[in-house]
Amino acid sequence: NAGVTQTPKFRVLKTGQSMTLLCAQDMNHEYMYWYRQDPGMGLRLIHYSVGEGTTAKGEVPDGYNVSRLKKQNFLLGLESAAPSQTSVYFCASSYLGDETQYFGPGTRLLVL
Amino acid sequence: LAKTTQPISMDSYEGQEVNITCSHNNIATNDYITWYQQFPSQGPRFIIQGYKTKVTNEVASLFIPADRKSSTLSLPRVSLSDTAVYYCLVGGILTGGGNKLTFGTGTQLKVEL
């Protein structure tokens, strides 16, 4: 099993550009999450999903959109990137909402 | 959201036992307590989870007092490879909607020879 994978690993964007980060898991987990991590800070939840076709807002959802069209995939979109969105983005999945989360390796995003 | 408080950093030497305490005064009845470990440039990795009293696995122990307002992660005989950031997480996605996923800033553990 590959676990949780994230694409791409690193990306540089110009202000105003758009992009989509892809998260895939092969553990048949119902729950999936997107976090961002900034220097010296913990992980902050952006959006999450409790099942295929569902999404919900987390702590810092502004400027991001998500979609969960397939159970194994969770997409994070930035419609108009801003320098404040420079961060490391982690995707995670879990079988239930209060169980172990399995994290991907992260995507480093730099917005100039 | 459930708020957790941990020491920002801790130093130790190889072979010592390390105890990291997390305060979570507003923990709810149904909340589990989970600890994660994160190395630089990697995603967090699950260490241990518990609800009350004591839980032990092959890498750590978790002590939770009766009032559950704090928890202590115990790492026996640490090595250099245990140098990492340790996060305490209380709660998860709520059955009725909403979430209590707040990781906090974590504790940077540095192990030296």
Side-chain angles (χ1 to χ4, degrees):
Chain A
N1 288 347
V4 178
T5 58
Q6 294 184 231
T7 308
K9 289 183 171 54
F10 177 69
R11 183 77 182 267
V12 178
L13 287 179
K14 294 181 179 179
T15 297
Q17 287 185 320
S18 64
M19 79 164 294
T20 300
L21 283 67
L22 170 64
C23 175
Q25 53 95 3
D26 61 1
M27 297 172 282
N28 201 34
H29 285 167
E30 291 292 336
Y31 291 72
M32 296 187 74
Y33 317 80
W34 275 108
Y35 294 90
R36 62 177 289 174
Q37 185 172 40
D38 301 302
M41 300 184 68
L43 293 97
R44 292 185 291 170
L45 183 66
I46 304 172
H47 286 280
Y48 64 96
S49 168
V50 301
E52 182 178 316
T54 74
T55 63
K57 294 180 180 180
E59 181 185 356
V60 288
D62 294 342
Y64 306 94
N65 57 76
V66 288
S67 64
R68 182 101 180 266
L69 299 180
K70 293 182 178 181
K71 186 177 183 179
Q72 63 268 34
N73 296 336
F74 195 27
L75 279 63
L76 178 70
L78 287 74
E79 291 186 348
S80 179
S84 61
Q85 294 177 304
T86 292
S87 188
V88 180
Y89 293 85
F90 289 102
C91 175
S93 71
S94 65
Y95 183 65
L96 294 175
D98 57 1
E99 291 195 352
T100 303
Q101 293 184 41
Y102 294 84
F103 284 81
T107 294
R108 292 184 177 276
L109 177 64
L110 175 61
V111 182
L112 302 175
Chain B
L1 294 178
K3 178 176 173 59
T4 61
T5 303
Q6 304 173 230
I8 294 174
S9 64
M10 296 182 68
D11 294 327
S12 184
Y13 293 97
E14 275 201 319
Q16 290 189 330
E17 178 184 76
V18 171
N19 296 310
I20 305 175
T21 297
C22 178
S23 296
H24 30 79
N25 291 322
N26 59 342
I27 187 170
T29 303
N30 296 329
D31 286 343
Y32 279 80
I33 300 161
T34 312
W35 284 80
Y36 290 85
Q37 175 191 56
Q38 186 178 28
F39 297 111
S41 303
Q42 294 186 24
R45 184 177 69 173
F46 170 84
I47 301 175
I48 196 167
Q49 184 183 65
Y51 182 78
K52 61 180 179 181
T53 62
K54 176 184 176 182
V55 179
T56 297
N57 62 23
E58 63 275 8
V59 298
S61 294
L62 179 59
F63 299 92
I64 305 170
D67 65 5
R68 303 201 327 122
K69 293 184 183 299
S70 67
S71 59
T72 299
L73 173 72
S74 181
L75 304 172
R77 299 180 299 280
V78 295
S79 64
L80 294 175
S81 62
D82 292 315
T83 294
V85 178
Y86 292 83
Y87 293 98
C88 161
L89 174 65
V90 174
I93 300 297
L94 303 175
T95 304
N99 76 86
K100 297 181 69 176
L101 289 171
T102 303
F103 271 81
T105 55
T107 298
Q108 172 68 63
L109 172 64
K110 181 179 179 181
V111 181
E112 299 176 286
L113 288 172

